[in-house]
Amino acid sequence: MNGSRRLSSQEIADILRERIRAGDLKAGDRLPTQAELADEFGVERGTVRQALRALQEDGLLTNVSKGSPPRIAEPATPPGEPQPTMVALGPRLSEAFSAPHVRVDVVCHTSETLMLALSEPLRLIHEGRIRPESIDFRVLMPSRDIELAFPVLVDEEEDDPVHQRWLQMRNAQARVLQHNLHAVRSTHRIDVHIAFRAIPFTSPMKLYLLNGEEALLGYYMLTRREEEYESRTLEMYDALGSQSLLFSFLKRAGHRDAVFVEESQKWFDALWETITSDMTLS
């Protein structure tokens, strides 16, 4: 594209934006380096940097100015249109994992949704499409010793099988999550840390904090349902976490969102520090 007139940063941004719209560049793809783009368009690197910053502000790029070529971002959820947890969490985790140092803080009832959503960024790591230097997970879930607000039997019994079923699920899913992250550490030599701590209450909501830049908040939806467990049918009040609507708050979206992310992170950090020992998964 070299010629007598050099392209402006806006024109370069428009060309790259059209490549993304047309599907020539897809979510997760790396852009060429700034040097390669400068050579392609016949401009200085400063002009390329301005174009990339414009695309980042539009939410089309991630990992800009972090020492490696930026990536095409996952399509963002339109404002005012929260999505079910299972739909929304995977793409947001994948984008968070494009950072060199990944930090994920979670408050949840079990780690089932998190475990399933994590399969996408882990797949990208195994394929060599992303490679963070470190991954740090902190997960808060209800203590085994408290009386849960949910799930609970419709008709109370002295020996509560619903609580036992929940505890088995909590521990089994957490162990799978732990195993999958440790597998990344052993096969790709990524510095991985994951810790679980038990909170003395049933949280009415799930919260995901991604790299201190985004907060995803969803309230549990309670329902009355039946479930088979150890050769009997349990009628219970339970929460369907995967169907909870997740509301996204991005630091870069403006003052209100930035305050919510910062205060949520402070709340999580304070709660984490009040608990002195890690949760046992047995």
Side-chain angles (χ1 to χ4, degrees), residues 77-78 80-92 113-114 117 206 208 216-219 221 240-248:
T77 301
E81 294 185 23
Q83 293 182 321
T85 302
M86 192 60 72
V87 176
L89 186 57
R92 308 312 302 153
T113 303
L114 178 62
K206 54 175 56 186
Y208 304 94
L216 294 164
L217 174 70
Y219 287 95
M221 302 169 59
L240 303 178
S242 63
Q243 297 181 23
S244 299
L245 296 181
L246 276 187
F247 294 83
S248 172

Side-chain angles (χ1 to χ4, degrees), residues 3-230:
S4 57
R5 185 183 71 84
R6 291 192 172 186
L7 296 174
S8 67
S9 62
Q10 184 59 53
E11 288 172 322
I12 294 172
D14 289 341
I15 292 170
L16 295 175
R17 190 179 288 109
E18 176 58 25
R19 291 178 185 176
I20 296 171
R21 188 200 65 78
D24 297 330
L25 293 170
K26 299 179 176 61
D29 287 350
R30 284 192 186 275
L31 278 182
T33 65
Q34 292 184 11
E36 290 170 337
L37 289 172
D39 184 62
E40 176 185 352
F41 294 115
V43 297
E44 301 293 331
R45 289 194 191 184
T47 305
V48 170
R49 282 194 292 271
Q50 291 177 24
L52 297 183
R53 280 196 292 269
L55 293 176
Q56 183 184 35
E57 290 172 1
D58 290 344
L60 297 176
L61 295 182
T62 63
N63 207 36
V64 176
S65 301
K66 292 185 178 179
S68 61
R71 292 183 179 277
I72 308 303
E74 295 284 347
T77 301
E81 294 185 23
Q83 293 182 321
T85 302
M86 192 60 72
V87 176
L89 186 57
R92 308 312 302 153
L93 274 176
S94 296
E95 182 172 345
F97 268 63
S98 68
H101 302 284
V102 181
R103 189 178 82 240
V104 179
D105 293 329
V106 182
V107 180
C108 58
H109 202 55
T110 71
S111 56
E112 179 181 18
T113 303
L114 178 62
M115 175 189 69
L116 295 173
L118 191 62
S119 62
E120 178 61 17
L122 293 184
R123 180 182 66 82
L124 295 176
I125 290 176
H126 290 308
E127 291 178 354
R129 296 176 62 183
I130 58 175
R131 195 186 187 286
E133 297 174 24
S134 65
I135 301 172
D136 189 359
F137 268 67
R138 297 186 297 177
V139 184
L140 290 170
M141 291 190 288
S143 167
R144 64 183 298 151
D145 299 321
I146 67 170
E147 184 176 340
L148 294 171
F150 56 86
V152 292
L153 282 169
V154 173
D155 298 313
E156 291 186 12
E157 296 181 13
E158 184 174 342
D159 181 23
D160 187 356
V162 168
H163 187 92
Q164 291 303 315
R165 173 182 172 274
W166 164 80
L167 183 60
Q168 289 174 9
M169 291 174 56
R170 186 202 73 170
N171 292 342
Q173 292 159 1
R175 284 194 294 266
V176 172
L177 178 66
Q178 187 179 57
H179 170 78
N180 290 343
L181 284 169
H182 285 171
V184 168
R185 179 173 62 189
S186 61
T187 57
H188 297 276
R189 297 186 178 182
I190 296 172
D191 185 21
V192 173
H193 297 275
I194 179 169
F196 301 88
R197 291 185 180 176
I199 52 178
F201 60 89
T202 307
S203 175
M205 52 76 178
K206 54 175 56 186
L207 176 67
Y208 304 94
L209 299 168
L210 309 181
N211 296 336
E213 295 294 327
E214 182 174 18
L216 294 164
L217 174 70
Y219 287 95
Y220 284 107
M221 302 169 59
L222 295 181
T223 186
R224 180 169 174 164
R225 69 188 190 91
E226 294 181 348
E227 189 71 36
E228 297 296 321
Y229 178 70
E230 293 187 348

